[in-house]
Amino acid sequence: MSVLRVSSHRRIADFSRIYASHRPLVQRSLTTGFVLYVLLAAYQGVAARPPTKNSKNVPVGDGKPARVAVSLSIQFVIGDLKLHQVDALFYQRLGGILRIVIPSIRSKEALLLVMHSSLLVFRTAISLYVAALDGKIVASLVRGRSFEFLLNIIRWLLVAIPATWTNSWLSYVQNKLAIAYRTRLTREVLQQYLAEESETPDSKVYYKISNLDDRIKNVDQMITHDIQHFSAHLAAIYANLAKPILDVILYNYQLSRNIGAEGLVLLTVLIQSSAALLRAVTPSFGTYTAQSAALAGSLRHTHSRLAEFAEEVAFFGGEDAEKEIIEKEYMMLVRHEEKVMARRWWYGCAEEGIVKWLWGSFGLVVCAIPVFFELPGLSNSDLGSRTEGFVTNRRLLLSSSDAMGRVMYSYKDLAELAGYTARVSLLLDTMSDVRKGKFEKGLVASALEGENSKVISERGDIFEAEDIQFENVPIVTPNGDVLLKSLTFSVKPGEHLLIVGPNGSGKSSLFRILGGIWPVYGGVVRKPPASDFILIPQRPYLSLGTLRDQVIYPHSQEQMKARGISDDNLLAILAVVGMDNVVEREGGWGVTREWREALSGGDQQKIAWARLFYHKPKYAILDEATSLVPPDMEGKMMEQATALGITLLTVSHRPSLWKYHSTILQFDGQGGYVFTQLNADKRLLLQEEQEELQAKLLEV
């Protein structure tokens, strides 16, 4: 038995001697393996997961029209929760957006990234120096060497200068990156959203995305809130991912030189085992982020709708109904946030218990190795040396643990970035589809029946011409309601057209086709470019700006002067519509007000007519544009438009306007119409006879 024990001790001694002689090679191999492992683990942590069956965009809803508009955005998020995973689709989307925010390696954003990277490396180097300096300060205390202690304190104060400078610059550059990303992305979005007017299908995106497509109900939130948060997360994710990985490698490399690579490998095994457990219980924070953004946007949209239709709600007395809708939206948001808070609470408990306390205990054990075991190449001859080594290693280990924790946190940050990336990508993809004439809209039931389904599946041809010609053109609303299956008429310059018919018969739809904001579902349309049309609705649009801006909109004052028009010319135009006193009354051309409140309804219509006379287009679309104007002024404005060579397309129920028009297009509201010459005197006589007959019938 004793022989076996002696033999066993001899083999252990031989192994120890062989291992000691080859230990430098083993140390290098273990350290190299550790670096490769960290890089591989980091890559696997952020690499694309295999896409799930739900990771692609899915249609909103079930194809049926929604009862409440705001519910569509909620339905989109809830019905497609797995859209926001860190998978191949996320990296595909992120890659497309990165090409926008960092257009080239010579761009401002690329230079800021290089500067940011340099500062991150410099800060890590400072942290390594401070860790060693900590050990020296404590060692000088233990040894009782006052001069050495004061010298180390001076070094500590001196290193604080570049350390504080670096930290401040890192925060500044990261914020600059976020602003630069947001600026690039906002410019790209606005370039598409408010593209210059043209006759191509990619114009008027701001109108079509809200009226012809159902995928986005709160585009204002996406352009402001979501792009801002995406840019901030994108700027932060680089520091939250690259810096911790660099720190883990450098701190642990230095740690392996102090305590041996064997202890580092043991520590890595223990940490990765507990980290796997933590990853397994990590909730899907990316989905929660996207869902919170959609719910907040839906609540904001509900409030904006109430403000927009406040007058109608007030007349109906719909306060209780609107309050119920708003409270329902708010409670959906609150319930979601409470659920997220609960999950963040127990996740935070598990995360802190593992990362801070469990890993801290592992670190203390590893730091104690040089104290209790003699390692080749390390000198721990006195208490000061052992204390210095322990404090330095402890500082390195804490920094490494913090970096490892931030690597794990980075996946949560990456998941939240995936949520905002999905939102921004949805905005870009939807605008791209709208520019190509591809829309996703809930259709009415009749749109899928019989000939109607064939009508909405086709597209007509549009040609530029001097006059207006419709040949067998169907009038179809965005939700697929076919108002007219075939419309044929023509308008030549100088021939004013009167359009009449009941509500919902297709009058406004016809104007939207002429303006190029609704698609043509068949037939042939010949018309001038959209720049030759001006629309005057019953409630004209008054922009934010000066009184001058209201008349010349959308021109600027510089464009007005370039046309050779002065303020005196504008005053003469206002005199035509009986508004020349408004300049003095309101305080001059340069005064800025909320003009929808400062001007009465009749004055607003007169300003719109003045705008028409300023621009002098070939065609004007008048949609009850004189309903609040006195009859004598109405006649003057119609005559002035004719004198300027403006061809009028008028929707009005006022018989006093008939004499100014030569043709009439009358819709019956049942899918039929009549297009013919207008004899105003004969029509007035027939109307008088009709009114007399109706009066006699009332007497019976």
Side-chain angles (χ1 to χ4, degrees):
M1 195 69 172
S2 59
V3 175
L4 291 176
R5 187 179 297 108
V6 172
S7 177
S8 176
H9 287 176
R10 186 181 296 112
R11 284 195 295 269
I12 293 175
D14 293 340
F15 174 78
S16 300
R17 187 171 54 257
I18 296 173
Y19 179 79
S21 62
H22 294 84
R23 188 171 183 273
L25 178 61
V26 174
Q27 292 283 300
R28 286 193 295 269
S29 301
L30 291 176
T31 303
T32 303
F34 173 79
V35 172
L36 294 176
Y37 172 77
V38 170
L39 294 176
L40 179 62
Y43 171 77
Q44 290 177 342
V46 300
R49 271 66 168 172
T52 62
K53 62 180 180 179
N54 294 324
S55 62
K56 296 182 179 180
N57 287 331
V58 296
V60 180
D62 53 4
K64 300 179 181 179
R67 294 184 179 180
V68 182
V70 295
S71 66
L72 286 171
S73 59
I74 304 298
Q75 185 178 3
F76 175 79
V77 176
I78 296 177
D80 198 22
L81 290 179
K82 302 209 176 173
L83 186 68
H84 314 301
Q85 296 178 346
V86 182
D87 54 12
L89 183 59
F90 159 65
Y91 284 106
Q92 179 183 351
R93 290 168 171 163
L94 185 61
I97 299 176
L98 285 177
R99 285 190 288 272
I100 296 174
V101 299
I102 309 177
S104 69
I105 59 174
R106 296 184 178 180
S107 63
K108 171 187 174 182
E109 294 76 13
L111 294 177
L112 285 173
L113 271 178
V114 172
M115 184 177 181
H116 199 212
S117 303
S118 302
L119 290 170
L120 290 175
V121 173
F122 186 56
R123 190 173 72 173
T124 301
I126 291 176
S127 299
L128 288 172
Y129 177 79
V130 169
L133 187 58
D134 271 353
K136 292 179 180 179
I137 290 175
V138 176
S140 61
L141 279 174
V142 172
R143 291 169 179 154
R145 299 175 182 176
S146 58
F147 178 76
E148 183 179 342
F149 173 76
L150 292 176
L151 184 62
N152 288 329
I153 291 297
I154 293 174
R155 290 172 179 169
W156 176 274
L157 294 175
L158 290 176
V159 81
I161 298 174
T164 54
W165 179 88
T166 303
N167 290 332
S168 297
W169 264 103
L170 273 173
S171 177
Y172 175 80
V173 173
Q174 181 171 313
N175 291 332
K176 287 283 289 184
L177 266 176
I179 294 175
Y181 291 155
R182 184 182 182 184
T183 302
R184 288 274 188 186
L185 200 51
T186 301
R187 285 177 179 172
E188 175 65 23
V189 168
L190 293 182
Q191 178 85 21
Q192 300 183 41
Y193 189 65
L194 294 169
E196 294 184 1
E197 184 176 341
S198 64
E199 285 299 293
T200 57
D202 61 356
S203 61
K204 308 290 192 298
V205 172
Y206 60 91
Y207 173 85
K208 296 175 181 177
I209 202 171
S210 299
N211 294 275
L212 306 184
D213 197 280
D214 279 342
R215 281 173 285 183
I216 298 177
K217 286 299 176 184
N218 46 356
V219 66
D220 55 334
Q221 183 200 10
M222 285 190 164
I223 295 178
T224 55
H225 178 273
D226 290 343
I227 286 182
Q228 175 193 359
H229 281 263
F230 168 82
S231 302
H233 277 70
L234 182 61
I237 197 66
Y238 178 73
N240 293 342
L241 191 61
K243 176 65 165 60
I245 293 175
L246 177 65
D247 287 351
V248 168
I249 293 175
L250 294 182
Y251 289 147
N252 284 280
Y253 172 76
Q254 184 62 42
L255 200 60
S256 68
R257 297 183 61 184
N258 294 349
I259 64 174
E262 301 90 345
L264 184 62
V265 170
L266 175 62
L267 181 64
T268 301
V269 171
L270 294 174
I271 287 179
Q272 291 304 312
S273 300
S274 55
L277 175 63
L278 187 59
R279 282 195 298 269
V281 299
T282 302
S284 180
F285 289 109
T287 296
Y288 296 151
T289 300
Q291 196 169 352
S292 295
L295 289 167
S298 179
L299 179 61
R300 186 182 296 109
H301 178 70
T302 306
H303 278 284
S304 66
R305 287 184 74 255
L306 176 59
E308 181 180 358
F309 300 105
E311 182 177 340
E312 291 85 345
V313 173
F315 274 109
F316 276 105
E319 293 85 1
D320 291 339
E322 295 298 324
K323 181 181 178 183
E324 182 180 352
I325 293 174
I326 291 176
E327 287 180 344
K328 180 180 178 182
E329 296 288 338
Y330 177 72
M331 290 310 301
M332 289 178 65
L333 176 62
V334 169
R335 284 195 294 268
H336 171 72
E337 294 297 336
E338 287 178 346
K339 181 180 72 172
V340 174
M341 287 170 54
R343 297 196 176 183
R344 285 186 184 275
W345 178 84
W346 65 256
Y347 176 75
C349 292
E351 186 179 48
E352 182 174 350
I354 292 176
V355 173
K356 182 177 181 179
W357 299 102
L358 185 60
W359 291 4
S361 64
F362 293 160
L364 290 172
V365 173
V366 172
C367 289
I369 291 178
V371 176
F372 298 107
F373 300 94
E374 183 178 350
L375 298 178
L378 296 179
S379 175
N380 291 325
S381 56
D382 61 349
L383 181 61
S385 299
R386 290 195 295 270
T387 304
E388 177 181 351
F390 181 83
V391 171
T392 300
N393 296 337
R394 175 67 173 161
R395 180 67 179 261
L396 288 172
L397 197 59
L398 288 174
S399 300
S400 177
S401 177
D402 177 67
M404 184 65 72
R406 282 184 285 126
V407 170
M408 295 190 63
Y409 296 155
S410 66
Y411 182 79
K412 181 175 66 175
D413 297 334
L414 202 62
E416 292 184 356
L417 176 64
Y420 287 113
T421 301
R423 299 272 294 173
V424 174
S425 180
L426 173 63
L427 174 62
L428 294 172
D429 291 345
T430 302
M431 288 196 299
S432 177
D433 288 346
V434 167
R435 288 164 64 89
K436 297 174 184 176
K438 300 178 182 179
F439 308 107
E440 293 184 14
K441 183 77 174 177
L443 304 178
V444 297
S446 60
L448 305 177
E449 300 174 354
E451 296 181 4
N452 291 348
S453 62
K454 182 180 179 181
V455 169
I456 65 174
S457 64
E458 298 178 353
R459 287 292 185 271
D461 298 317
I462 303 177
F463 300 100
E464 189 171 314
E466 288 293 324
D467 56 353
I468 298 173
Q469 295 182 21
F470 275 52
E471 299 177 9
N472 302 318
V473 178
I475 304 297
V476 184
T477 64
N479 62 357
D481 190 9
V482 181
L483 303 179
L484 273 82
K485 293 185 178 179
S486 179
L487 174 63
T488 300
F489 76 96
S490 62
V491 178
K492 294 182 179 179
E495 295 183 355
H496 301 327
L497 173 66
L498 179 67
I499 304 174
V500 295
N503 291 334
S505 59
K507 304 186 298 295
S508 299
S509 303
L510 173 62
F511 294 158
R512 289 167 182 140
I513 293 176
L514 286 173
I517 59 178
W518 276 17
V520 178
Y521 287 92
V524 177
V525 174
R526 293 181 175 86
K527 66 182 187 67
S531 57
D532 288 344
F533 289 87
I534 277 187
L535 168 67
I536 303 182
Q538 187 173 12
R539 295 183 62 184
Y541 173 68
L542 299 180
S543 66
L544 298 174
T546 64
L547 178 60
R548 182 188 299 105
D549 294 335
Q550 309 314 308
V551 180
I552 67 177
Y553 181 84
H555 285 176
S556 63
Q557 188 174 359
E558 290 74 18
Q559 290 174 308
M560 180 193 79
K561 292 180 179 178
R563 296 179 60 189
I565 297 178
S566 64
D567 288 344
D568 292 337
N569 300 129
L570 294 183
L571 190 62
I573 293 175
L574 287 180
V576 174
V577 298
M579 287 282 290
D580 49 326
N581 65 331
V582 72
V583 179
E584 181 179 356
R585 186 186 76 194
E586 296 296 337
W589 286 108
V591 66
T592 300
R593 300 190 191 283
E594 180 55 72
W595 296 106
R596 290 194 304 174
E597 299 175 359
L599 300 177
S600 65
D603 287 348
Q604 292 181 34
Q605 289 188 345
K606 291 177 182 179
I607 288 290
W609 278 86
R611 185 184 298 166
L612 173 67
F613 298 151
Y614 165 80
H615 287 287
K616 293 186 286 189
K618 293 182 179 179
Y619 291 87
I621 299 173
L622 311 178
D623 191 356
E624 299 288 355
T626 59
S627 60
L628 302 176
V629 176
D632 58 335
M633 181 55 64
E634 175 185 69
K636 291 180 181 179
M637 294 189 300
M638 299 294 288
E639 292 171 357
Q640 177 68 11
T642 302
L644 293 175
I646 302 173
T647 302
L648 304 177
L649 310 177
T650 307
V651 171
S652 178
H653 296 288
R654 281 189 172 187
S656 58
L657 291 178
W658 292 355
K659 61 184 178 181
Y660 300 106
H661 298 81
S662 57
T663 56
I664 183 171
L665 178 61
Q666 182 169 359
F667 299 106
D668 60 12
Q670 303 297 321
Y673 71 96
V674 174
F675 174 67
T676 185
Q677 294 294 315
L678 175 61
N679 187 327
D681 295 334
K682 184 177 180 181
R683 190 175 181 90
L684 283 172
L685 181 61
L686 291 174
Q687 183 175 3
E688 290 175 359
E689 293 178 358
Q690 181 184 8
E691 291 175 354
E692 290 177 1
L693 289 173
Q694 289 177 346
K696 291 179 180 180
L697 287 172
L698 292 174
E699 295 174 358
V700 176

